[in-house]
Amino acid sequence: QLVRIAILGITCGQIETLLDRSLPSDADLLRLQRACEGALPPISEGMFLDRSMIGESVIQSSVTYVLDATPQRPSTTVRVLGPMLVYPAAVTSMGFTLEMEDTLKASRLSWPDFMRWNDARSDYYSAIQLFTPLISILSPAINRSYEAEWRSRMNLENARVAIAVERYRLAKGQLPAALADLVPQFLSEVPEDYFAGPGVPLKYRVRAGGEFVVYSVGRNGRDDLGEPVKKGRDHWDGDQFIAVAPMGFRTGPQVAAN
């Protein structure tokens, strides 16, 4: 599923390049918009990573059972090393199973609530680091995989709305004043900004040069007006957006003359 997320990220990047450098027809844009709509199951059906988490939980439960099983007549080596090797591994495997179950429950939360739940776990991971270091190291990675799905879904929504804006421009000869103008002809509704919380729609603005941007507030939950913000080494900071150049730029040469 993480490979699927990566492929969708590449696809959304290519959609932005297409919109930024060409003038596709309304029919082509409509096909692309429908493809974005069907790329992932709707969020109302739950996170698509849930299946992977359930599968991993079953595997870990099986590993726990196998590790806990010992021969009826164990050898001297098994009697000496067994408690040191088997039981810590079984405890770690069981801990992963419980972690995945907790993460599955938390995945039903909105992004802001999921982040609060995740932040509250940091003290727990620090506390168990001495006893089960693998869980304290790998469990946060499980939580970040759900963040990757939220970002993937947001990329698709940004792309879908940007395509709708382009279709509006082709039909009306101008950009919409607001995303609400796209409803119902080009969108059934303005998508929700998952990072901002339930009921908060995606944002849109037209930059000074005529470039428009469709954006989410991103994981930090702060509206940076559709601009990337890099602070230190945190490359995830800032808004998550798709920006499309004005028509004049796309119809003229885009390589400087020698």
Side-chain angles (χ1 to χ4, degrees), residues 74-85:
S75 65
T76 302
T77 302
V78 170
R79 287 199 303 271
V80 173
L81 297 181
M84 292 187 290
L85 299 178

Side-chain angles (χ1 to χ4, degrees), residues 14-187:
Q14 292 301 310
I15 290 174
E16 181 173 16
T17 300
L18 172 71
L19 296 177
D20 212 32
R21 300 182 183 180
S22 64
L23 299 171
S25 67
D26 182 72
D28 290 335
L29 289 171
L30 180 58
R31 283 195 294 269
L32 198 57
Q33 186 176 350
R34 288 174 175 169
C36 290
E37 291 170 354
L40 291 177
I43 192 66
S44 58
E45 296 181 6
M47 305 290 273
F48 68 81
L49 275 175
D50 286 353
R51 292 184 180 181
S52 299
M53 292 299 111
I54 293 171
E56 288 292 336
S57 297
V58 172
I59 292 172
Q60 291 299 328
S61 298
S62 301
V63 170
T64 302
Y65 174 79
V66 171
L67 288 173
D68 199 38
T70 57
Q72 293 182 351
R73 295 181 179 179
S75 65
T76 302
T77 302
V78 170
R79 287 199 303 271
V80 173
L81 297 181
M84 292 187 290
L85 299 178
V86 173
Y87 296 115
V91 168
T92 298
S93 184
M94 188 181 302
F96 272 126
T97 302
L98 296 175
E99 280 296 304
M100 289 174 185
E101 289 178 357
D102 287 345
T103 304
L104 276 170
K105 294 176 184 176
S107 71
R108 273 64 173 178
L109 302 172
S110 66
W111 169 257
D113 289 338
F114 182 84
M115 281 298 290
R116 281 189 283 271
W117 172 84
N118 190 40
D119 291 342
R121 305 284 286 180
S122 59
D123 292 339
Y124 165 72
Y125 294 137
S126 298
I128 67 172
Q129 187 171 7
L130 179 63
F131 306 101
T132 55
L134 280 178
I135 294 178
S136 65
I137 293 171
L138 297 180
S139 291
I142 297 173
N143 300 340
R144 284 194 295 273
S145 67
Y146 274 99
E147 178 183 338
E149 178 172 341
W150 285 115
R151 292 184 62 83
S152 182
R153 288 184 177 276
M154 210 70 266
N155 281 334
L156 282 168
E157 295 289 36
N158 284 343
R160 185 166 70 91
V161 173
I163 293 168
V165 172
E166 272 298 290
R167 294 182 61 216
Y168 181 100
R169 172 155 45 188
L170 282 176
K172 311 288 186 180
Q174 62 184 16
L175 290 171
L179 293 183
D181 296 343
L182 303 175
V183 181
Q185 184 176 356
F186 305 100
L187 285 176

